[in-house]
Amino acid sequence: VYAVTLPGTDEQPQASAQLVIDPESNTALLIVNGMPALPEESVYQVLLIRGTEHETAETFRVDTEGEGVLLVNSTVPLRSFDAVGVSIEPEGGSGQRTGEIVLLGSIIN
């Protein structure tokens, strides 16, 4: 396994995350911190990015300390993606990203 860092973007520069990846698996563990809690009608959503395209994955919320842990699942091995991001989306998530990307980092090891 290996970990990659997802730094905060200009939208949330204080935020960061570690994505712990098993390169032979379709799952990874996302550990976030420094992220503000969102209004009830919004959630954070994981984006699996390949080139100019992306797939949306799980949604999550953070605790009052701005921390959260999430198991990220994909239909294909995660090593096939170039990057992982997190965006702010409406409750229930979006099929395509509609909100600002707040975390973004390369997945390539």
Side-chain angles (χ1 to χ4, degrees), residues 11-87:
E11 298 297 319
Q12 288 187 13
Q14 77 291 352
S16 66
Q18 293 289 314
L19 186 69
V20 181
I21 302 167
D22 175 354
E24 302 306 317
S25 168
N26 296 6
T27 60
L29 188 64
L30 180 68
I31 305 161
V32 301
N33 59 65
M35 299 179 75
L38 296 172
E40 274 196 36
E41 67 273 4
S42 298
V43 293
Y44 291 108
Q45 186 164 20
V46 177
L47 308 171
L48 303 173
I49 302 165
R50 184 183 300 113
T52 59
E53 303 293 317
H54 72 272
E55 295 178 19
T56 55
E58 286 78 17
T59 62
F60 66 98
R61 295 184 183 280
V62 295
D63 65 17
T64 57
E65 301 296 316
E67 299 175 344
V69 177
L70 176 72
L71 189 61
V72 177
N73 296 289
S74 172
T75 57
V76 298
L78 287 165
R79 69 175 183 269
S80 69
F81 294 98
D82 301 321
V84 172
V86 172
S87 63

Side-chain angles (χ1 to χ4, degrees), residues 85-99:
V86 172
S87 63
I88 299 173
E89 301 297 336
E91 174 67 39
S94 300
Q96 289 293 315
R97 179 181 71 82
T98 61

